[in-house]
Every structure is written in C-alpha cells, then in structure tokens.
Amino acid sequence: MFKVGFNLPEKVVQEEQLQQKKKKNQQQNVEKLTGNELQKMMEELRKDETQKTKRDRKKTKKSKETTENPENAEAKVPLDETKLKATRQKEPKSEPTTALKRKAEEPEHSSKKLTPLQLKMQQKLSGARFRWINEQLYTSCSERAFDIFQKQPEVFKEYHDGFRHQVEQWPENPVSNFVDQFKDRLIKPLNAPGGIPGDKAGNKVVVADMGCGEAELALKLSEKNFSRRKTQFEVHSFDMNKANERITVADIKNVPLPDESCHVVVFCLALMGTNLADFINEGIRILKPNGLVWIAEIKSRFEGNDYATFVNNLKNMGLYHRTTDDSNKMFVKFEFVKLSHKLANARNKNPEIMLKPCIYKRR
Ligand code: SAH
C-alpha cells in the first residue's frame, strides 16, 4: 500500500513528460503542415486532451477514494517533503486543482473549451492555414480560388481573420492611404488637374473597389462630411465572399458593372490570381475615359524592385502611367489614367504580367 502511494505519482509524472514531449514535437511540426493535415492534427490534439481529462477525472476519483476510505489509511502518511515538492513542480501549471475538479464535474462535450496549450496550438494552426490559403490565392487562377471560397466560406473567413491580423502589424494600411488621397484631392473641384474625376453636375464619384476585403474603403467614403464639397460617393465593393452588406460577390475578372461606368478603380493588394492581367482588363472596361486606376501592392512582389516592367505592361494595355510612389517601406502605389477610346483601342489585352506571390512570415 505504501509503495502504491509513491509509485502512482511517478508513473503519472512520466506519462505527463511523454505527453509534453509529444505536444512539443507536434508544435514544432505544425509549421510544415498544410490543409487537411492541420485539421487532423487539431482533432488529434482534442482527443489527447479529452483522454487527459478522463485520466484526470479517474485520478481525482482515485485520490478521493484513497484519502476518504479508512481502509487506505496508510495513504494518509505524509510523503517525504522533497519528493512532494518535486511532484508539485512537475504537475502542469495550467491545471490547478480547482480547475481540475471543475473539469471532472463538467460533461464530456465541455472538453471542447480550449486549454492554454490548445489555444496556442490553434493560433499556430490559424497562422499556418492563413499562409497556406494565401499561397493558394497567389498561385492559382481566380476561377479556382473563387470556386474554393464559394464552396467553403469558412476558408474565406479564416483567410480574412489572418489578413486582419497581418494588417494590424503594419505601420500603415494602404486602404487608409487611398482614403487620404480622396480627401486631399477633393480640395480641388471634380475633374480639375490633380483632382478626382467625377460627375460634376451630380457632384458624384463612382468607385469600384476590386478585391475589397471587408469594404473599408466604402465605409470611410460614405462617412458624413467626408468631403468639404459634399461630394457623393457610389462605391461598388467586390470580393469573393460577402463579409458584410457593402460587398457584392464577384470574381474581379468579371464584375456586374456596365462599360465605362466608374471614375476610379482601386486594386488594393488585390492582384492575387495568376490571371491578374484579366483583372486589369476588367478595370479598364468599367472605367470611363480619363478615369483613374489606383494600385497598391507589397514591394516584395516585384523581383529586384523592378516596377518598370509592370508599368510598361499596363501602358501597353491602354493606360497612361502617372505616378509610381515607392516612398512607403512596405507598399508601392501606382496611378494610371485610362486613355481616350482611340488610343485605348490599340491596346494589348493579353500581356503576361507576373508578380511574385506575397509570402507572409510565420508568427
Ligand atoms: N483590399 C482589401 C483586401 C486586400 S486582401 C484591403 O486592402 O484591405 C485581397 C482581397 O482580394 C481578398 O479579400 C481576396 O478575397 C480578394 N480577391 C483576390 N482575388 C480576387 C478575385 N479574383 N475576385 C474577387 N476578389 C478577389
């Protein structure tokens, strides 16, 4: 009996160590995993934790029996204090006795509540999955990406949660930069040189936000008193899934807008598919002559910071290049103007435009 009193904790400690080693290995390997493997791993982890809860429950029951049953009186003999200390140190800190008791009393399904370790693992999984989805978007044509997001809206949500997390780390968000551009330039009247093109009679500007994410641009431009001139904005926000009511679901290679209906077309970090030339073509189609194309992209997408090749391709597609602004540390911005009909007719509609995928670092 006395022996049992000592052996039980040591066995438990060994098992704890084994479990911790297993989890550490899983944690190190998670970064290399993708897709379904990640999902399987999360399920395995859950199973592990459920089994652990069951074991803990048995342990609690056993120790309760041991201390409460007078037949086990010897078990009440105090353990050697140094051994006790060692055992205490080896016990997982995240499982204080009260939490353990509460767990033992809770029904089975509550094991889905995540422990700190599971939470950490889940964050790693989300990070890994975000990078995986991101890579798919940059290395597939838009039809495939569109299909994935239509069939699995949860993948889209995962991507956007990850993207939001990335944006929070950036010193500047390019969407805000475009919002400022509108504000600054609206000091001038519509269609004035250096201003914003628009419908002067109606004091209105029509904007298409291609690959809008959460349609923040539409939200900001619709704010009361956005422009001192009380210019009205009609913003069409397109993305592959409807994160909110402002968004119209569409593949940006084919959006539901008539020809020559917009004054400004924005691509903010949205040139993601391998068929990105289709997106530019679509932008040109819906743009009025003298309308603006605004593009922001991550600098690392341009091999050796070669912006000129990209610019030349867009010039050949019928756009006049106005500015390249690479003053920001992370982003480069371009402004193009749609040429008049005559010039635009001579354009090359199918140039090979290649940009490197944007690979986000591990968190
Ligand atoms: N412009 C937003 C979001 C950038 S993330 C911002 O800067 O905050 C890129 C967005 O483009 C994603 O929401 C992605 O779903 C969208 N996107 C990429 N390819 C697309 C396509 N072919 N059609 C519609 N949206 C697309």
Side-chain angles (χ1 to χ4, degrees):
M1 291 295 266
F2 195 59
K3 227 176 160 197
V4 171
F6 273 112
N7 279 349
L8 187 64
E10 273 170 22
K11 212 174 156 194
V12 171
V13 165
Q14 271 174 7
E15 209 175 317
E16 292 288 359
Q17 282 172 341
L18 211 80
Q19 285 298 324
Q20 276 181 7
K21 208 170 162 192
K22 195 174 161 192
K23 277 170 194 165
K24 202 171 167 202
N25 284 344
Q26 282 173 331
Q27 216 163 333
Q28 281 166 350
N29 287 336
V30 69
E31 296 293 341
K32 296 174 199 157
L33 297 173
T34 56
N36 289 342
E37 286 172 308
L38 294 168
Q39 205 58 46
K40 266 190 210 151
M41 231 195 77
M42 197 63 203
E43 277 158 20
E44 246 178 55
L45 241 182
R46 279 225 174 88
K47 249 189 256 162
D48 274 6
E49 291 287 321
T50 314
Q51 277 163 7
K52 187 173 174 292
T53 314
K54 278 186 189 163
R55 272 201 316 274
D56 288 346
R57 209 178 298 171
K58 270 190 199 156
K59 247 195 282 169
T60 319
K61 206 174 154 199
K62 189 151 192 159
S63 68
K64 217 176 162 194
E65 279 169 8
T66 321
T67 46
E68 280 175 9
N69 188 347
E71 277 178 20
N72 295 328
E74 281 150 289
K76 283 184 188 168
V77 175
L79 297 172
D80 172 349
E81 190 52 36
T82 48
K83 286 197 177 169
L84 244 183
K85 209 171 162 190
T87 315
R88 266 192 226 121
Q89 276 169 354
K90 281 173 188 172
E91 268 172 12
K93 284 186 184 129
S94 57
E95 296 266 314
T97 340
T98 46
L100 203 125
K101 267 192 203 155
R102 209 181 314 125
K103 252 190 171 178
E105 284 157 13
E106 279 170 358
E108 187 78 352
H109 67 264
S110 66
S111 64
K112 283 191 179 140
K113 277 185 197 161
L114 301 185
T115 61
L117 175 76
Q118 281 183 324
L119 212 66
K120 199 171 160 201
M121 290 294 287
Q122 197 186 44
Q123 278 163 0
K124 282 209 171 256
L125 280 167
S126 310
R129 276 184 69 83
F130 164 70
R131 286 191 300 279
W132 179 74
I133 301 167
N134 187 59
E135 201 179 314
Q136 301 305 304
L137 287 172
Y138 278 114
T139 53
S140 328
C141 66
S142 65
E143 288 94 336
R144 183 168 170 260
F146 195 75
D147 195 47
I148 294 176
F149 280 177
Q150 291 309 296
K151 287 185 183 149
Q152 300 176 59
E154 68 281 2
V155 175
F156 185 82
K157 190 183 171 306
E158 249 177 298
Y159 176 74
H160 273 269
D161 289 348
F163 181 74
R164 203 180 307 116
H165 181 87
Q166 286 293 334
V167 173
E168 281 161 13
Q169 331 270 314
W170 294 342
E172 194 187 342
N173 176 354
V175 178
S176 316
N177 200 286
F178 285 139
V179 172
D180 292 344
Q181 289 264 327
F182 276 112
K183 203 166 217 155
D184 294 348
R185 296 212 204 169
L186 279 172
I187 293 171
K188 295 184 178 179
L190 288 181
N191 301 323
I196 298 286
D199 165 12
K200 208 162 176 182
N203 193 20
K204 186 172 146 189
V205 179
V206 182
V207 180
D209 185 2
M210 310 285 263
C212 61
E214 294 179 357
E216 207 191 316
L217 186 63
L219 186 71
K220 292 276 159 58
L221 296 184
S222 68
E223 274 172 11
K224 239 183 164 187
N225 303 327
F226 177 79
S227 112
R228 271 191 288 158
R229 294 179 181 274
K230 307 258 179 266
T231 309
Q232 293 299 304
F233 282 95
E234 179 183 310
V235 185
H236 300 273
S237 307
F238 298 109
D239 210 298
M240 296 198 267
N241 213 305
K242 203 171 176 68
N244 59 53
E245 282 312 303
R246 294 186 293 280
I247 297 165
T248 304
V249 174
D251 180 346
I252 53 173
K253 74 170 216 170
N254 181 19
V255 296
L257 283 180
D259 293 356
E260 304 192 348
S261 52
C262 300
H263 299 104
V264 184
V265 171
V266 177
F267 293 97
C268 188
L269 311 180
L271 300 179
M272 293 188 95
T274 48
N275 55 329
L276 63 96
D278 291 344
F279 308 158
I280 309 279
N281 265 327
E282 184 65 349
I284 295 173
R285 180 187 72 77
I286 60 173
L287 205 57
K288 289 173 187 283
N290 301 318
L292 300 177
V293 178
W294 283 352
I295 297 172
E297 270 306 332
I298 308 254
K299 280 182 169 175
S300 61
R301 297 198 64 195
F302 299 82
E303 187 83 63
N305 285 1
D306 172 19
Y307 309 125
T309 308
F310 177 74
V311 166
N312 281 335
N313 275 319
L314 269 67
K315 276 162 79 173
N316 291 336
M317 292 174 88
L319 294 171
Y320 170 79
H321 174 236
R322 203 176 254 170
T323 54
T324 297
D325 176 359
D326 67 348
S327 58
N328 186 278
K329 230 172 125 182
M330 287 181 72
F331 310 108
V332 52
K333 288 191 302 157
F334 304 93
E335 179 172 304
F336 295 89
V337 185
K338 179 172 171 175
L339 297 171
S340 67
H341 299 272
K342 248 190 191 170
L343 285 165
N345 279 343
R347 67 198 184 96
N348 172 9
K349 288 195 176 180
N350 292 306
E352 277 266 313
I353 308 181
M354 306 271 279
L355 294 181
K356 278 167 61 181
C358 164
I359 305 294
Y360 292 104
K361 285 188 190 134
R362 284 174 189 179
R363 287 182 214 160

